Amino acid sequence: MSDPNEILKGLYDETLVGNAPRVLELTEEGLAAGMEPQSLLFEALIPSLEEVGARFERGDFFVPEMLIAGRAMAGAMERLRPLLAETGVETVGTFLMGTVKGDVHDIGKNLVNIMLEGAGFEVIDLGVQVAPEKFIAAIEEHKPDIVGFSAFLTTTMPMFKANMNALEKAGLRDQVIVMVGGAPVTQEYADAVGADGYAADASACVKRAKDLIEQKRAKVPA
Ligand code: B12
């Protein structure tokens, strides 16, 4: 198969049913046909996962379906990662990232990481279910420019506030820029917890992260 539209449709359909081997094959076929990695991601893989979420909401899909679709997408992401994150770019800053405690969703976070790496950030990923103490220890160790908290559940979003409190308590709040994000997060929520920045998607996150670093560097004399 080498027709781009058929490849995109195939990727969408096979991600929806969680056929990981076929998703990987189609990803290879798309790349071999000269398609852009971004096109595979934004025109097929992400819309498919959005449909998975919609079906879950309607009660047509359950957790296992969500899980296998997520795995199928993650397999393709592994293949696309080095292509999306072009190397050789000067380091813009250090970004420490993690999914908050109680939350295992990591596809959105991983996508943000890939885009940040591609834009020249050094990314330190703490993984999922990251407790406030772990964020604090990692900030003390790595001294990042930015820490990012990712949450995909309305029930885990309050962990942002818990993390902010832990930062205050450790005396680190002024030393690091805080960004928050994840499917249910809004600018209003980010403001309410006192974060410095929010972004709805990976490319907006890269832009906002760069702006926040520039603003901070402009304030602090070198
Ligand atoms: C795949 C998936 C799963 C997989 C996760 C696999 C994995 N490794 O991530 C599994 C099956 C494990 C899962 C489990 C659950 N899930 Co789930 N899951 C999803 C699904 C279908 C896709 C999520 C996803 O990866 N989307 C793709 C990415 C690319 O999303 P994105 O939002 O566009 O990401 C961008 C932004 O959010 C932003 N961003 C992300 N992180 C950050 C961080 C920062 C700092 C910034 C600035 C930006 C940023 O940039 C990203 C890239 O552009 C969503 C549905 C949906 N539409 O979101 C439900 C969804 C998130 N899950 C949901 C639920 C309810 C659950 C469960 C509670 C189900 C259950 N009963 O067990 C459990 C919870 C487990 C837990 N404790 O965490 C609900 C949440 C509802 C709510 N209001 O809280 C959703 C919305 C489904 C629904 N419509 O009901 N899930």
Side-chain angles (χ1 to χ4, degrees):
M1 199 196 287
S2 62
D3 173 42
N5 286 328
E6 269 178 51
I7 290 176
L8 291 177
K9 183 169 184 318
L11 266 180
Y12 180 93
D13 292 342
E14 300 296 348
T15 303
L16 202 57
V17 297
N19 186 349
R22 190 69 193 122
V23 169
L24 201 53
E25 259 172 40
L26 284 163
T27 302
E28 294 293 358
E29 283 175 33
L31 293 173
M35 293 173 73
E36 292 292 332
Q38 284 88 341
S39 152
L40 305 179
L41 190 60
F42 294 110
E43 291 172 49
L45 296 165
I46 291 179
S48 184
L49 267 202
E50 280 167 1
E51 177 59 19
V52 171
R55 291 188 185 192
F56 180 78
E57 239 165 79
R58 291 200 300 267
D60 295 337
F61 268 18
F62 298 95
V63 174
E65 282 97 343
M66 225 160 44
L67 189 59
I68 56 169
R71 280 201 194 127
M73 160 112 175
M77 294 267 286
E78 275 310 299
R79 176 66 181 91
L80 297 177
R81 174 185 286 267
L83 304 173
L84 291 164
E86 289 164 25
T87 50
V89 196
E90 199 183 314
T91 300
V92 178
T94 309
F95 201 116
L96 182 80
M97 178 75 110
T99 299
V100 299
K101 186 176 173 183
D103 202 319
V104 303
H105 294 87
D106 67 358
I107 298 171
K109 164 183 75 61
N110 294 344
L111 188 53
V112 174
N113 289 348
I114 291 172
M115 298 302 220
L116 284 169
E117 279 169 11
F121 278 87
E122 184 193 343
V123 177
I124 301 158
D125 184 7
L126 299 180
V128 298
Q129 305 244 47
V130 182
E133 315 80 77
K134 200 169 164 192
F135 274 116
I136 298 300
I139 291 167
E140 279 169 344
E141 184 186 346
H142 300 287
K143 304 193 172 30
D145 296 288
I146 306 186
V147 59
F149 305 136
S150 181
F152 270 71
L153 298 168
T154 39
T155 50
T156 56
M157 279 161 63
M159 284 312 296
F160 290 159
K161 191 66 195 159
N163 289 341
M164 299 299 286
N165 291 343
L167 276 175
E168 292 278 0
K169 208 174 149 203
L172 292 169
R173 180 62 190 98
D174 295 340
Q175 291 173 40
V176 68
I177 297 165
V178 177
M179 288 191 72
V180 295
V185 185
T186 58
Q187 181 66 59
E188 289 68 32
Y189 195 84
D191 292 341
V193 296
D196 301 307
Y198 156 80
D201 60 49
S203 50
C205 178
V206 169
K207 194 173 174 304
R208 190 84 182 98
K210 282 185 176 169
D211 289 349
L212 286 166
I213 286 186
E214 254 174 51
Q215 282 167 23
K216 187 165 183 182
R217 288 186 182 155
K219 267 192 223 151
V220 183

